Amino acid sequence: MKLIFLLIVGIILYFIARNYKTEKFENIKLDIKERFDGDLMNHEAGLLVALMAKVAKADGQVCELEAEMLKHTFTDISRHFENQEEIREKLKQIYAKEKESFDNTIEICDKLYKVTKNHYQKRVKIIEYLLNLAFIDKDFSQTEFMIAEDIANALKIKRADFENLVNRFENFYRQQKENQALSLEKAYVILESNENDDNNTLKKNYRKLVKQHHPDIVSGQGASQSIIDEATSKLQEINEAYEIIKKHRGI
């Protein structure tokens, strides 16, 4: 059980490190493999994946980011077992089965609570991981909140701890959205355009700026190396701005 606890922490850190900062963990060792031949629904690994299935399907669909996270989770968990291919396949089967219904959610939580009864912080980390999965598409629906809340209650997570985790994720993604909006606004400024310009106007402005700042053209005008370097940097900025706007507009 100690191994799976450390594994869960490792998985949390792996995904959260990409987009979400949490406290630092040290001395995590995952160099010991266990062999498990029993029913994974009596093991922390299987119970975690079962709850992931409930959360992932709470809003009726599994987005690309959720699917990618699930795929890596199956791999990361199974590679810490001697019989990893067998474990990975069983985890996939558990996920496929458990995503079909929410009826046994509390029953699964009760099992997980029994095997983690003396490890409150472990259960908090499990909730944190499940919330990370729910928030990963940047749309934490009311249904996802209700499922997460039910799981937290069944795992006997203190209300204050649950709300603190939800608030941390909400604040993080709110800040990320604000930063994205600022980046988009700046991109329009760089392209000497505005959000009301149609795609053709945007493209014309982009081409005009490329011609104006292309290092080959600047070099051909007899500019000094410092000006050429400045033009190269400016062109990169123009290209990045254009890509941001294209991605936002879906063009």
Side-chain angles (χ1 to χ4, degrees), residues 31-197:
D31 55 348
I32 302 174
K33 292 190 177 185
E34 68 168 294
R35 181 174 184 87
F36 188 83
D37 296 306
D39 184 355
L40 279 174
M41 287 300 287
N42 294 318
H43 191 289
E44 286 179 47
L47 295 171
L48 171 64
V49 168
L51 292 180
M52 288 174 63
K54 310 300 185 186
V55 172
K57 288 292 288 184
D59 59 358
Q61 58 184 353
V62 178
C63 74
E64 184 178 348
L65 288 173
E66 286 173 320
E68 187 70 13
M69 187 173 178
L70 289 163
K71 182 179 73 173
H72 283 290
T73 300
F74 298 151
T75 299
D76 287 348
I77 290 179
S78 61
R79 70 188 178 89
H80 295 289
F81 289 83
E82 291 180 0
N83 50 332
Q84 69 178 67
E85 291 302 322
E86 178 187 355
I87 294 296
R88 192 179 194 282
E89 188 57 36
K90 286 183 177 180
L91 292 176
K92 289 170 62 179
Q93 291 172 4
I94 287 173
Y95 175 80
K97 177 183 177 182
E98 297 302 331
K99 72 178 182 178
E100 297 302 321
S101 172
F102 297 109
D103 293 344
N104 63 340
T105 302
I106 302 304
E107 179 184 341
I108 292 170
C109 292
D110 289 342
K111 282 187 175 183
L112 187 54
Y113 177 76
K114 287 179 181 178
V115 298
T116 61
K117 187 174 182 179
N118 298 319
H119 302 283
Y120 179 74
Q121 287 305 317
K122 180 189 295 189
R123 299 198 302 279
V124 171
K125 289 302 171 187
I126 290 172
I127 290 297
E128 184 176 19
Y129 183 60
L130 294 175
L131 285 172
N132 189 41
L133 177 63
F135 271 94
I136 201 168
D137 62 354
K138 303 178 182 180
D139 181 22
F140 188 49
S141 68
Q142 183 61 31
T143 305
E144 288 173 316
F145 175 83
M146 291 171 61
I147 290 293
E149 183 180 43
D150 286 346
I151 293 172
N153 289 336
L155 292 179
K156 303 188 187 307
I157 302 299
K158 297 175 185 176
R159 184 68 187 183
D161 290 337
F162 175 71
E163 291 180 350
N164 181 54
L165 286 172
V166 172
N167 289 336
R168 283 163 59 186
F169 277 105
E170 286 180 338
N171 290 336
F172 170 77
Y173 282 103
R174 185 184 303 112
Q175 185 63 51
Q176 190 180 65
K177 185 176 182 180
E178 290 173 359
N179 291 342
Q180 184 179 23
L182 289 173
S183 296
L184 183 63
E185 182 179 343
K186 183 179 179 182
Y188 278 111
V189 172
I190 291 171
L191 288 189
E192 298 178 3
S193 306
N194 64 71
E195 60 181 13
N196 296 321
D197 289 337

Side-chain angles (χ1 to χ4, degrees), residues 2-13:
K2 181 179 180 181
L3 171 64
I4 295 303
F5 166 53
L6 295 177
L7 175 59
I8 291 170
V9 172
I11 295 171
I12 291 170
L13 289 175

